[in-house]
Amino acid sequence: GGGGESVSRLMMLLDDGSELDVRATGGFLAKNWENAYLRRDGKHLMTLQRGINLWVKTPSGDEQRYRFDTHGDLSDSEALINTLAQVPKGALMVFVTTDEFSAALSPDAVARLHEMGLLHP
């Protein structure tokens, strides 16, 4: 906020020994989404867009990618809730936000993200 860009970065090793590198951006100068990324061993896992980007690695090793424009599309809140309900137990979920991601979050989506420990009051 405050006219600047906010950035969060996380690097971690996955169980298979690969390195996950995540950079999320927000704020008023974050319209250059190429500044945000989700990479494994230096290779991009998905193209990030405004809102909430979700990468899922299931216990069986399958990977799924989702994008929710929870800034500009109210229906994407429902899609987010439905997607989270379908994620298999034990899956690794990585959420990467870009630009502004909360303007079109429904109260139900906010509650679900709170339950997961992803949003704090």
Side-chain angles (χ1 to χ4, degrees), residues 70 74 76-78 81 102-113:
T70 51
L74 290 172
D76 274 10
S77 278
E78 188 67 26
I81 293 168
S102 63
L105 274 177
S106 69
D108 289 341
V110 170
R112 181 67 181 116
L113 294 173

Side-chain angles (χ1 to χ4, degrees), residues 43-101:
K43 295 180 183 172
H44 288 276
L45 290 174
M46 64 187 291
T47 301
L48 304 179
Q49 296 177 354
R50 178 180 71 183
I52 297 174
N53 301 270
L54 173 60
W55 177 75
V56 177
K57 184 175 180 184
T58 67
S60 65
D62 294 331
E63 297 178 15
Q64 301 159 344
R65 295 154 180 83
Y66 305 94
R67 294 177 194 93
F68 306 97
D69 182 5
T70 51
H71 170 74
D73 188 345
L74 290 172
S75 67
D76 274 10
S77 278
E78 188 67 26
L80 172 63
I81 293 168
N82 291 336
T83 298
L84 293 175
Q86 300 301 314
V87 172
K89 187 173 184 153
L92 171 65
M93 294 186 286
V94 178
F95 294 79
V96 186
T97 59
T98 61
D99 193 12
E100 203 289 323
F101 71 92

